[in-house]
Amino acid sequence: MADITSAIASANPRRIHIRRAVIRCVSGPEAGASWTMERDVIHIGSNKTADIVLTDPTVSRRHAEIRRGRDGVLLRDLGSMNGTFVGQVRAKEVYLGADTLFRVGRTEMSFTPADEVIDVEPSQADHFENLLGNSVAMREVFGLLERVAPTDLTVLISGETGTGKELASRAVHTRSKRSMGPFVVFDCGAAPENLIESELFGHNRGAFTGAVDSRPGVFEMAHGGTIFLDEIGELPLELQPKLLRVLEQREVRRVGATKTKPIDVRVVAATNRNLREEVDRGRFREDLYYRLAVVEMGMPSLRERAEDLPMLARHLLERSTHNTSVKAIDQRVLDVFSEYHWPGNVRELNNVIERALPFSDGATISMSALPESMRPASQRTTSPVMKPTVQPAQGDEPLPFKDAKDQLISAFERQYLVDLLDRHDGNVSKAARAADMDRKSITRLMKKHNITRDS
C-alpha cells in the first residue's frame, strides 16, 4: 500500500515519503505468510483475482478491503458471509492502527505500517534508458527514477511540452518488474470526447451506434503491464470519477456491460498543466489528483538544463535514421543553441536538427542550415524560404531529374510535417485538422519520415 504526504516536499525536493503496509497471516491455512503492499486499495478474499488470496473456506470471494485515505487506513467488510472482526466486534468499517489484529472468517491477520522516507540524491549516471543529461536537474530526475521505477507506485510526471515525459514513462516501465508486459499509451487530449470512455474502458457490441463489435479498452490491453495516460489534465471532468474508480478498485466495466473485469496495471500519467491549480479551479478532482500523484516528478525544461545542449544535439544528430552524411555541428551553431529560449524543449531541438540536415553542405551543420529566425540578423538572407540542396549522385554529376524531384519533395514533406506538429504540440488530431488532412495520412507520413512524438 502506498501514498505520499508530500511527493517531493517543498522544503526538501529530494525526499519522498512512501507509505507501505505489511499484512501478515497469524492463523489459518496461510499462517506465516506476509504481503507487502504498495497500493491504495487491497482486496482480501478467496477469489484468485484478490490481492491477498486466502483458502480458508469461511472467507468469501470478495471478503474485505483495506483502503488508504487522507484520514487513515480503513478496513471495510464487503458484505461477506462470515464477517470481518476486530477483537470480538464484527465491523463494517474500522480504522486500523499500527499492529492491529483483525479476522476475516476464521483467519486472523495483522496490519503493520512499513513507511519509508527516501532521500533521493542526484544519480552518478548521465542517462536513464533513453533520457540523457549531465546537468544536476536531470541527474536528480535519474536518481528519483532509479528509486521509483522498480516499485509498483503510480507516478505523475509534469513538465512543459517536449521535455520527454513519455520517454520518462517508458523508462519507468522498462526498469520495472512489468517490463515484459505491455506498455500502452493513451492521449487524453487526442481522442474525440464522445469516445474517450469507450477507448479507456472498452465497449460491448451494440453499446452505442457504430459499436458493431465488442472491443477492449486500453486498460484491458495494458493488463500485466503499464498504461501511460498522457495529458491527463485534458480528461473531461465527467469521466474523472470513472477513472478514479478504476484506479481504486482495479477493475473496469466496458460501456454497455453489467459485469466488471479485474485488471493488473501500473499507471503513469503526464501533464503539461499545473494540476494543483486545476484542482483549486474546480477543473480536476482532488481525489483523483491524490490517486495519481503517489509519486510526483517534474521534467526540467531545456532552459533549466542548458549545459546539456551540446550532448543532446550531438545525440539527436547521431540517432537520426535518415541522416547519411552529416557528422558534426559547428560550434557557432551550438553557441546559438545556448542563447535560444527553446519553448518546444527537446522536441524543438530535435526538429531544428532534422530540418537542418537537408540544408547542410558537407558533413557539418553550419549557420546557413538553421531556420532564419534562429540565425543572427547579419547572416539572414532576404529570401523568406530556404531551398534544400540536392545531393549529387557521383562527383559533380547531378542526380537524374526524377531522383532530384523525389529528394526535394521528401525534404519538403518532412519539414512541413515537423513544423505542423511543432505548432500543435505534437497532437496529431489537431495537426490533421489544421492541415485539412486525414489523421491516418499524418500518421502515415510520420512513419515514412521516422517522426516520433516524445512528450
Side-chain angles (χ1 to χ4, degrees):
M1 178 180 292
D3 191 13
I4 214 154
T5 52
S6 179
I8 301 178
S10 57
N12 185 351
R14 292 192 294 263
R15 173 170 290 182
I16 58 176
H17 188 180
I18 298 174
R19 298 195 185 279
R20 292 190 177 96
V22 176
I23 294 99
R24 294 182 176 86
C25 184
V26 178
S27 66
E30 280 71 42
S34 65
W35 300 263
T36 300
M37 292 305 201
E38 295 181 338
R39 292 180 176 174
D40 293 319
V41 181
I42 301 167
H43 292 109
I44 302 171
S46 61
N47 193 320
K48 292 182 179 180
T49 62
D51 300 301
I52 297 177
V53 180
L54 300 176
T55 58
D56 180 348
T58 65
V59 172
S60 299
R61 289 171 58 82
R62 296 180 72 253
H63 196 107
E65 68 177 18
I66 299 174
R67 177 184 298 269
R68 183 181 292 281
R70 299 186 69 181
D71 297 326
V73 179
L74 185 71
L75 172 65
R76 178 170 169 257
D77 186 82
L78 298 177
S80 66
M81 180 70 70
N82 294 305
T84 300
F85 294 81
V86 175
Q88 299 301 313
V89 179
R90 183 166 181 165
K92 178 64 177 175
E93 291 184 345
V94 61
Y95 281 99
L96 299 176
D99 301 318
T100 301
L101 293 174
F102 63 94
R103 194 172 78 253
V104 290
R106 294 175 183 166
T107 295
E108 189 171 25
M109 311 188 78
S110 70
F111 169 87
T112 305
D115 293 5
E116 183 179 5
V117 177
I118 298 175
D119 289 319
V120 180
E121 298 293 336
S123 173
Q124 297 302 308
D126 62 1
H127 69 281
F128 188 89
E129 294 300 322
N130 291 323
L131 292 167
L132 189 72
N134 200 35
S135 61
V136 173
M138 282 306 291
R139 288 191 294 111
E140 286 182 348
V141 168
F142 301 158
L144 182 59
L145 289 173
E146 287 167 359
R147 292 284 194 153
V148 170
T151 73
D152 214 21
L153 300 174
T154 302
V155 181
L156 176 63
I157 306 171
S158 60
E160 297 177 9
T161 296
T163 51
K165 297 188 291 295
E166 184 171 338
L167 286 180
S169 71
R170 289 183 181 274
V172 167
H173 174 72
T174 302
R175 293 287 186 95
S176 75
K177 59 189 177 185
R178 298 174 176 269
S179 60
M180 300 305 293
F183 179 83
V184 180
V185 178
F186 181 75
D187 188 338
C188 299
E193 193 165 321
N194 62 325
L195 294 178
I196 292 180
E197 183 175 4
S198 170
E199 294 284 338
L200 281 172
F201 311 129
H203 63 259
N204 279 357
R205 179 179 179 181
F208 51 83
T209 303
V212 294
D213 292 305
S214 296
R215 180 182 171 187
V218 290
F219 271 96
E220 285 186 62
M221 289 188 277
H223 183 75
T226 304
I227 186 168
F228 174 53
L229 300 175
D230 199 8
E231 298 306 339
I232 189 66
E234 304 293 329
L235 188 69
L237 196 59
E238 61 270 19
L239 285 180
Q240 292 177 22
K242 296 182 180 181
L243 175 59
L244 177 63
R245 183 183 181 280
V246 170
L247 297 181
E248 291 184 336
Q249 302 297 331
R250 301 288 168 169
E251 59 186 20
V252 295
R253 184 169 61 194
R254 294 184 181 182
V255 177
T258 57
K259 295 182 179 180
T260 60
K261 284 191 173 185
I263 54 164
D264 175 25
V265 298
R266 182 183 191 173
V267 177
V268 180
T271 180
N272 60 14
R273 297 188 181 190
N274 186 324
L275 285 193
R276 291 180 185 270
E277 291 182 359
E278 294 296 292
V279 169
D280 293 340
R281 293 170 182 169
R283 295 199 290 252
F284 202 84
R285 289 180 61 107
E286 184 178 28
D287 46 7
L288 178 57
Y289 169 72
Y290 282 110
R291 283 286 178 258
L292 293 169
V294 174
V295 173
E296 189 171 6
M297 58 172 286
M299 296 297 294
S301 67
L302 198 48
R303 300 180 299 282
E304 298 170 305
R305 48 181 298 216
E307 60 265 47
D308 290 335
L309 268 165
M311 175 194 294
L312 280 171
R314 294 186 180 103
H315 170 73
L316 294 171
L317 177 65
E318 290 172 1
R319 81 168 192 177
S320 177
T321 55
H322 73 285
N323 174 29
T324 57
S325 58
V326 181
K327 306 298 182 185
I329 302 173
D330 191 290
Q331 182 58 47
R332 290 173 298 174
V333 171
L334 294 176
D335 292 340
V336 168
F337 284 176
S338 68
E339 296 174 2
Y340 184 62
H341 188 60
W342 298 110
N345 293 292
V346 180
R347 181 190 291 138
E348 184 180 5
L349 173 63
N350 184 60
N351 289 345
V352 167
I353 290 172
E354 294 285 1
R355 279 197 298 258
L357 292 174
F359 303 105
S360 297
D361 295 321
T364 302
I365 294 179
S366 61
M367 293 291 290
S368 61
L370 295 183
E372 290 273 327
S373 60
M374 292 190 70
R375 284 185 275 165
S378 61
Q379 298 191 32
R380 295 180 185 175
T381 65
T382 56
S383 172
V385 179
M386 297 176 65
K387 293 180 171 56
T389 56
V390 177
Q391 299 296 326
Q394 294 180 351
D396 295 329
E397 290 297 317
L399 287 172
F401 173 78
K402 182 178 183 303
D403 292 343
K405 177 183 174 184
D406 289 344
Q407 192 178 103
L408 284 168
I409 290 174
S410 180
F412 163 76
E413 283 181 351
R414 192 171 212 289
Q415 182 171 341
Y416 179 87
L417 198 57
V418 293
D419 285 340
L420 180 69
L421 290 166
D422 214 21
R423 287 197 302 273
H424 295 89
D425 295 334
N427 189 307
V428 176
S429 297
K430 292 179 181 177
R433 287 194 293 270
D436 196 22
M437 296 173 66
D438 186 83
R439 192 179 191 278
K440 291 182 179 178
S441 298
I442 295 286
T443 54
R444 177 179 54 80
L445 286 173
M446 288 174 67
K447 184 175 181 180
K448 172 183 175 182
H449 295 290
N450 196 36
I451 297 172
T452 59
R453 294 175 54 242
D454 294 344
S455 292

